[in-house]
Amino acid sequence: MSLPDDTRQRIQSVIDSDRVVLFMKGSRQMPQCGFSAQVVQILDSQLGEYTTVDVLQDPEIRQGIKEFSSWPTIPQLYVGGEFIGGCDILTEMYQAGELSQTLGTA
Amino acid sequence: MSEERRARIESKLRERLDAAHVEVADESHLHAGHAGAREGGGHFRAVIVSDRFEGKNRVAAQREVYAALEDEMGAHIHALAMTTLTPAQWKEQGGG
């Protein structure tokens, strides 16, 4: 499966629009999946503001982000344009005390 | 059916990642009624020990696991919570 150029550009421009961007299911206020909820909870404990993209509202991004990141599941976190990981990785980083460094909030 | 699927995932991980140790648990029952569960894919939790993870960061290690399960993702696996360890890390945690 290949990622259409316009979808790739849309994803890239969202990632470029903020330092911390979370692709998730549902909204920050109302996550629609336990894994997305867990990541929001962790980020909320570290950060006041960040961008979330609800992939359930946008089938192109929902499919496209998997190919864009070479990562088959959602949520996905980007910081400073770089793919950081999904729920397990963020949870591990948080528990290890590494996440605040990555987010620049240490 | 679900035990068959769990065992198949476990054997693919063991073979395709040359894993020294693999444990896969089917946690689909914890997510019944969830949107992803309705699409048919299961929720799994896995511990994988392989020297392929040596020198790799978490993202690279998990990408290897997803690649090994490429033909299962979506249709059979909705979500996979995983812990990837090198044999040395596993030993440290009391495994082996």
Side-chain angles (χ1 to χ4, degrees), chain B residues 2-96:
Chain B
S2 70
E3 168 52 24
E4 196 183 301
R5 182 165 67 176
R6 192 202 63 76
R8 187 178 68 223
I9 291 168
E10 205 170 83
S11 74
K12 281 185 181 170
L13 289 172
R14 187 169 291 117
E15 285 167 26
R16 297 179 182 176
L17 295 172
D18 276 327
H21 179 79
V22 177
E23 282 168 59
V24 176
D26 187 342
E27 299 189 336
S28 304
H29 59 285
L30 301 176
H31 302 270
H34 168 287
R38 283 197 297 272
E39 287 162 16
H43 284 71
F44 296 89
R45 178 171 296 279
V47 177
I48 305 131
V49 181
S50 168
D51 49 22
R52 297 259 193 104
F53 302 142
E54 208 80 59
K56 293 204 168 92
N57 65 21
R58 295 180 181 104
V59 169
Q62 294 202 11
R63 274 195 182 124
E64 286 233 7
V65 175
Y66 285 133
L69 295 175
E70 201 179 4
D71 47 355
E72 300 283 345
M73 292 307 299
H76 299 291
I77 301 177
H78 171 70
L80 176 66
M82 62 175 116
T83 305
T84 53
L85 299 169
T86 62
Q89 287 169 331
W90 191 44
K91 213 169 177 183
E92 258 171 50
Q93 296 194 2

